[in-house]
Amino acid sequence: MEEASSSLSPPIYRLPEDTLHQIFSHLSLRQIAICKSVSKLFNQTLSSPSFTHLLSSQSLSSLHLIALRPSHHHHHSHHQRHASLDQCLHAYDTDLNLWLRFSLDFLPFQSPVPITSSLGLLYLWADSPDSSKSLIVCNPLTRQFKVLPQLGSAWSKHGSVLTGSAGKVIVLTELAALFFSGSNQWLKFSSNLPSKPRSPILVFDSIFAICDVGSPWRSQWKLFFCPLTRIGNSISWSRLERPQWTDVFDILKRPRLIPGVGNKLLMIGGLKSSFSPNTPCLTILILRLDLETLHWDEAGRMPQEMFCCFQESSKFKVFGCGSRVCFSAKRIGKLALWDCSAENGKGKWKWIENVPRNGDGLCRGFVFEAKHSALP
């Protein structure tokens, strides 16, 4: 029976592994990622250390994807449900309109939670054997990983993780921050922010965040920044503002920051119909700040027919980087994508369907640049 079954399989399945490696080594990184999903054999063959070593000697172009984070419910109930969840990273290829899966089964942790990415490396929260929290850095393509020094559970629950070049990692809260740059320990610094930082981002070795400096009855958002070179005994934040900005922070409801292209950042929120506190929003607006000229301009606004789906939701999530930004909200069942990667004026808007593990529809995510990067 085994011989008959073998004779019915496609000829490529009967080739030696070395031959398969040589064949697949001529494909692009995108094609290799797609082939891994074809069959269990292809996934094992293209994930083997020998094939990974073969690819590391080639200069394959990187693959820019939009990755999903597990939902808040999955994160806090994984002890009960991890057996039913496959360990993988779901990522969307905007060029092919296709969802890809990157296996994380090489990590010796239960239900690791991907949170961010930088320069081809993926960062995850995971429970160590003694139940303490650790940050893991790995590359799903090379199947290599490294455990960073352990952190307390308070940091994993309340801290925002920022990653940059040369293995720099910052875990940021309202009162303090932890900084890691490849040594064997985290350096802790106090913070002088007036309130909890909203959507902190890292742009060219400077941290940017928006904070509410208003009253309990009326929010007033301001932009703050801190170059990493300022980190000493504390993180010294400065307010970034100009008289000509006038009402730029008053026209948006619940603004968020996203890293833009190059030396730019994006601020995204609901466009208020008036300046009153509980005014309805007209649409979702994307503003862009040039950090060299400190000039704001409008990068895009969500089409009205698309915004109608978000209008009924009490809140929405925003994630992305550069020229691609995703929007999600409860009960919509799909993602809205703003794509300004081509020279098309204010960018294109489209729906992303078939979102994996959609749950209540409120997705979170980050941009994952897949490539064969070495661990720091």
Side-chain angles (χ1 to χ4, degrees):
M1 291 294 292
E2 292 182 1
E3 292 181 0
S5 176
S6 176
S7 63
L8 293 176
S9 61
I12 193 171
Y13 283 81
R14 299 195 293 270
L15 293 176
E17 187 178 73
D18 290 346
T19 305
L20 288 175
H21 288 174
Q22 291 300 323
I23 293 173
F24 284 109
S25 66
H26 294 283
L27 300 180
S28 67
L29 190 56
R30 173 178 280 108
Q31 292 169 325
I32 292 172
I34 294 173
C35 288
K36 284 186 176 183
S37 301
V38 170
S39 68
K40 185 176 181 180
L41 173 65
F42 280 6
N43 182 53
Q44 292 176 342
T45 301
L46 303 182
S47 301
S48 66
S50 54
F51 184 69
T52 299
H53 178 73
L54 178 63
L55 291 184
S56 63
S57 62
Q58 303 179 12
S59 55
L60 294 175
S61 58
S62 58
L63 187 58
H64 293 269
L65 306 168
I66 297 174
L68 294 183
R69 295 178 58 176
S71 69
H72 182 80
H73 175 67
H74 283 153
H75 179 41
H76 288 282
S77 63
H78 64 266
H79 289 294
Q80 291 78 24
R81 302 182 59 195
H82 70 84
S84 62
L85 296 176
D86 54 332
Q87 290 191 330
C88 65
L89 176 73
H90 294 277
Y92 180 75
D93 187 334
T94 56
D95 293 331
L96 293 183
N97 191 25
L98 182 69
W99 286 98
L100 303 174
R101 293 196 311 166
F102 295 87
S103 176
L104 302 176
D105 61 1
F106 61 94
L107 296 174
F109 305 99
Q110 290 185 354
S111 299
V113 180
I115 49 172
T116 190
S117 173
S118 177
L119 302 176
L121 300 177
L122 183 65
Y123 291 80
L124 315 94
W125 284 117
D127 287 328
S128 299
D130 61 356
S131 298
S132 61
K133 289 289 183 182
S134 295
L135 266 176
I136 313 298
V137 56
C138 74
N139 189 328
L141 301 183
T142 64
R143 299 174 67 83
Q144 296 176 322
F145 73 94
K146 177 182 178 181
V147 181
L148 302 187
Q150 292 181 350
L151 292 168
S153 59
W155 290 98
S156 63
K157 290 180 180 178
H158 307 292
S160 299
V161 180
L162 309 178
T163 54
S165 59
K168 294 177 181 176
V169 184
I170 301 110
V171 184
L172 183 66
T173 68
E174 176 183 348
L175 301 177
L178 297 177
F179 182 71
F180 180 83
S181 59
S183 62
N184 292 323
Q185 63 179 349
W186 293 91
L187 302 178
K188 185 176 180 180
F189 305 97
S190 60
S191 177
N192 64 336
L193 280 175
S195 64
K196 182 179 179 179
R198 175 185 287 272
S199 58
I201 61 174
L202 192 61
V203 181
F204 286 144
D205 279 348
S206 287
I207 310 173
F208 293 84
I210 47 179
C211 292
D212 187 357
V213 299
S215 67
W217 303 274
R218 188 182 184 95
S219 296
Q220 184 180 8
W221 300 100
K222 295 296 180 181
L223 180 63
F224 290 79
F225 78 101
C226 174
L228 295 185
T229 53
R230 280 193 195 172
I231 295 181
N233 295 323
S234 65
I235 292 186
S236 179
W237 293 90
S238 299
R239 185 184 294 186
L240 183 60
E241 57 185 347
R242 291 294 183 273
Q244 61 268 30
W245 288 1
T246 59
D247 299 326
V248 68
F249 290 96
D250 297 326
I251 64 174
L252 294 183
K253 189 174 183 178
R254 295 181 60 83
R256 290 90 157 165
L257 296 182
I258 295 287
V261 177
N263 198 25
K264 296 178 174 63
L265 62 80
L266 304 176
M267 185 167 67
I268 302 169
L271 176 60
K272 296 179 181 178
S273 56
S274 70
F275 289 116
S276 60
N278 298 317
T279 182
C281 294
L282 300 174
T283 187
I284 295 176
L285 187 66
I286 304 175
L287 299 179
R288 177 171 47 211
L289 175 63
D290 188 317
L291 293 173
E292 293 181 0
T293 64
L294 295 181
H295 172 72
W296 289 96
D297 73 312
E298 181 180 323
R301 62 174 65 197
M302 184 177 287
Q304 193 60 41
E305 61 273 15
M306 182 177 280
F307 177 67
C308 288
C309 299
F310 288 84
Q311 202 166 12
E312 298 178 358
S313 181
S314 60
K315 63 178 180 179
F316 62 90
K317 294 296 180 181
V318 179
F319 54 92
C321 182
S323 58
R324 294 186 174 102
V325 181
C326 280
F327 303 82
S328 73
K330 288 186 176 181
R331 295 181 294 277
I332 291 182
K334 50 189 175 181
L335 299 176
L337 172 68
W338 174 75
D339 189 345
C340 199
S341 57
E343 296 181 3
N344 48 27
K346 296 298 183 181
K348 291 183 178 180
W349 293 85
K350 60 175 285 189
W351 289 108
I352 300 177
E353 307 279 357
N354 303 317
V355 181
R357 295 180 185 168
N358 193 35
D360 60 2
L362 200 59
C363 299
R364 299 160 178 82
F366 53 91
V367 169
F368 175 47
E369 182 186 4
K371 62 180 181 179
H372 280 75
S373 301
L375 295 181

